[in-house]
């Protein structure tokens, strides 16, 4: 129960050299390089921040340090992806700082060295509760967004599997259930995150919604999304179409696709939803889940040669990271207790939280 | 109390010695007046600030007033009192005692209300005599032959006790340190033991009084001589230095030093193995303590022994626990860890831990539910009818 899983994988294939290269780095980091040198010299004082704000450039030397996420980017990239406590922290501190950690660095390394000719690789971020899986995922998503990839981000698959108000019988397939609210909400966020792709990608089939409405072949994906958002009844189907199209078209190589699902165990676990006659619903009977599973399953073209997935363990803070986190809180004047500055106080917090990031954050909220 | 004015006259014996401060007002600053042979009743006289003495004269004045007003019908008595008046007025008074009687309207009214019957006077005289005999007993003198002079001396000494005390202190008869030493480590006899010693029955009040007297005796300055006597009534108490069982330090195969011990709380039993060198990780029943105790309160309990000894990140612990609830398990592990830590720590620190309550098993257990009540203490809802 305690182990959660986050899974992401991306589609690699031959692609436009234009998109391959690392474009879109911001300020040339000569200044940053100078600063970094300085950092290495005065290594006695624990540094909690780095000025290197581009995830692409994060290396091992930045491990344990916080980098700043511009708030504008946050709104576009993460309309719905961040954990609520983090959002509260961002609002309080008026800045979004993510810590650079080893699992994320490892993943970045993999991503940077991917061979897009091979089929898609799947990675699973796993670990105990509160160790930082979701935030590592957000780090990766930021990187991919900066690299201009198409991001398919499902913030929490658990939300689709429990506490759903209305279940409609699916129009497409009688045995499945629709979830209009969740689907429309997700479509909205998807649109915000990937505006520019929606006009570029064209669908390859004709889809008939009902007697009066249909979408022609060749029209942009944006139309499907619009359709889903306006006609809430067909939202789930719209989501299904989006997923199918993206999967099919990613092999064409126009874009890089990153599929990030948080809480992926929900796809195979149990649901808390019930039919009208109080009998439980299996996950397969939910259309959203069904489509998502197809997405995640390794039946993409050319998948056979690869492993099912590469697991990446996310663990508690190591001492350096812990120090850095404490430093960050102290800099933001988050810890008001007198003993928080002292060594003993830090030791106490270390013991009480056992270097677990989630626990530490909850503890520090009281101080 | 001031000096008594007693003369061996039959009259004097009739005059009672009574203090009525309400009737007499003092006027310290007015000059002393010489005693006249028969000052008229309305003459203001001097009174000492401290003592409120009613002079025979005043008494007679009052008598006079009182008698005149209320005992008018009793002719015989009136005559007797007048005779007393006259005889008293003729007495020579050695000591100068003046009392001021402020004849305000208020006072006169008060005086009138008081009626001093002959019986009352007689009773007062008797009481005075008894008091005189008591005093004689106390001073160790013969009650029959106690004279006014002796009485005056006694009271003079009583007034000057403070001076005497200072003199004694100067003579350095105070040695209280030895007393406190003897008191520590010994206790008073209990009532049964005292009864045994004295071979007679005692009541509780007697016993309490006895102990109080002994304590007062010790408290008196210069009571060193009485110590021997007092010690007969004390028994020594062995200092219950709760000697902690310090576990022996064992070594495992790799040569690491560790120590094991148990702990209990409510119905939870725990066994902890504390390794000497480590980084501060705790494993409970094979799980990380963060996962086993998701509640911060329980983890704080675990932190307490280490935090108290300032050894937060230095020991590694593995423990097993069963029974009880989450709080009880946390308490049991805490006790077990504290006991195990004793073997790595100096004796002084062990004593500190004991005083902090880390080494004591919590005796509180779940109280039994009683019949007729809903719980152990909670009663059923009380209905008036």
């Amino acid at each position: 129960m305690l182990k959660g899983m986050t899974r992401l994988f991306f589609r690699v294939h031959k692609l436009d050299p234009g998109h391959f290269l690392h474009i879109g780095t911001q300020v040339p980091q000569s200044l940053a390089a100078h600063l970094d040198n300085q950092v290495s010299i005065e290594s006695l004082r624990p540094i909690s921040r780095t000025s290197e704000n581009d995830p692409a450039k994060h290396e091992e030397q930045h491990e344990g340090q916080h980098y700043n996420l511009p708030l504008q980017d946050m709104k576009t990239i993460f309309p719905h992806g961040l954990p609520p406590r983090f959002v509260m922290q961002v609002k309080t501190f008026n800045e979004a700082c993510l810590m650079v950690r080893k699992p994320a660095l490892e993943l970045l390394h993999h991503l940077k060295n991917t061979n897009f000719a091979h089929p898609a690789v799947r990675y699973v971020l796993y670990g105990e509760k509160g160790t930082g899986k979701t935030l590592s995922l957000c780090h990766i998503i930021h990187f991919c967004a900066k690299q201009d990839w198409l991001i398919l981000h499902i913030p929490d698959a658990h939300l689709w599997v429990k506490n759903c108000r209305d279940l409609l019988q699916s129009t497409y397939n009688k045995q499945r259930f629709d979830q209009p609210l969740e689907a429309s909400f997700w479509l909205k966020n998807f649109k915000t995150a990937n505006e520019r792709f929606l006009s570029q990608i064209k669908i390859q089939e004709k889809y008939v919604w009902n007697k009066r409405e249909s979408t022609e072949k060749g029209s942009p994906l944006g139309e499907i999304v619009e359709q889903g958002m306006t006609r809430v009844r067909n939202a789930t189907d719209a989501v299904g179409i989006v997923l199918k199209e993206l999967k099919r078209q990613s092999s064409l190589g126009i874009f890089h696709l990153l599929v990030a699902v948080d809480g992926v165990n929900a796809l195979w676990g149990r649901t808390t939803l019930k039919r009208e006659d109080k009998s439980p619903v299996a996950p397969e009977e939910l259309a959203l889940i069904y489509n998502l599973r197809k997405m995640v399953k390794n039946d993409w073209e050319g998948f056979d040669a690869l492993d099912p997935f590469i697991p990446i363990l996310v663990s508690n803070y190591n001492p350096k990271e812990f120090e850095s986190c404490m430093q960050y809180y102290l800099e933001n004047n988050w810890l008001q207790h007198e003993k928080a500055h002292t060594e003993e106080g830090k030791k106490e917090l270390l013991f009480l939280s056992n270097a677990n990031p989630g626990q530490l954050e909850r503890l520090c909220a009281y101080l | 109390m001031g000096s008594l004015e007693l003369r061996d006259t039959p009259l004097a014996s009739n005059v009672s010695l009574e203090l009525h401060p309400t009737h007499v007002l003092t006027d310290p600053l007015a000059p002393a007046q010489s005693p006249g042979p028969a000052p008229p009743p309305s003459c203001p006289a001097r009174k000492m600030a401290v003592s409120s003495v009613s002079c025979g004269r005043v008494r007679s004045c009052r008598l006079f007033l009182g008698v005149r007003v209320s005992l008018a019908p009793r002719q015989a008595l009136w005559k007797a009192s007048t005779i007393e008046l006259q005889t008293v007025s003729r007495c020579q008074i050695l000591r100068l005692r003046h009392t001021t009687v402020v004849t305000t309207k208020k006072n006169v009214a008060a005086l009138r209300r008081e009626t001093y019957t002959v019986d009352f006077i007689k009773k007062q005289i008797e009481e005075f005599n008894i008091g005189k005999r008591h005093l004689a007993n106390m001073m160790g003198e013969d009650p029959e032959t106690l004279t006014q002079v002796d009485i005056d001396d006694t009271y003079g000494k009583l007034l000057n006790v403070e001076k005497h005390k200072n003199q004694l202190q100067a003579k350095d008869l105070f040695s209280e340190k030895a007393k406190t030493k003897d008191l520590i480590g010994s206790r008073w006899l209990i009532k049964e033991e005292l009864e045994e010693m004295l071979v007679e029955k005692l009541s509780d009040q007697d016993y309490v009084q006895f102990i109080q007297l002994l304590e007062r005796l010790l408290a008196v300055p210069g009571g060193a001589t009485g110590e021997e006597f007092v010690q007969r009534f004390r028994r020594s108490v062995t200092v219950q230095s709760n000697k902690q069982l310090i576990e022996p330090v064992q070594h495992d195969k790799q040569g690491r030093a560790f120590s094991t011990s148990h702990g209990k709380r409510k119905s939870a039993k725990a066994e902890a193995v504390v390794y000497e060198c480590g980084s501060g990780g705790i494993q409970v029943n094979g799980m990380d303590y963060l996962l086993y105790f998701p509640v911060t309160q329980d983890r704080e309990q675990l932190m307490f022994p280490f935090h108290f000894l300032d050894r937060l990140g230095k020991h590694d612990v593995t423990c097993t626990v069963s029974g009880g609830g989450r709080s009880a398990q946390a308490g049991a592990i805490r006790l077990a860890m504290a006991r195990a830590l004793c073997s790595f720590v100096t004796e002084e620190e062990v004593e500190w831990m004991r005083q902090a309550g880390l080494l004591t098993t919590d005796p509180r257990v779940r109280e039994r539910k009683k019949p007729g009540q809903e719980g152990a203490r909670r009663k059923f809802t009380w209905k008036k009818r």
Side-chain angles (χ1 to χ4, degrees), chain A residues 275-295:
Chain A
R275 292 197 195 98
E276 284 87 21
D277 52 356
K278 307 280 173 83
S279 58
V281 174
E284 298 83 34
E285 290 167 29
L286 290 168
L288 279 178
I289 304 296
Y290 184 76
N291 291 325
L292 204 54
R293 273 205 206 170
K294 277 198 289 187
M295 196 71 177

Side-chain angles (χ1 to χ4, degrees), chain B residues 261-263 269-273 283-286 292 317-322 329 332-333 336:
Chain B
S261 66
H262 299 261
K269 294 202 195 353
E271 192 207 325
V273 178
Q283 293 283 318
V284 183
N285 283 353
Y292 196 82
V317 181
T318 312
C319 44
T320 50
V321 69
S322 62
Q329 284 187 343
I333 299 179

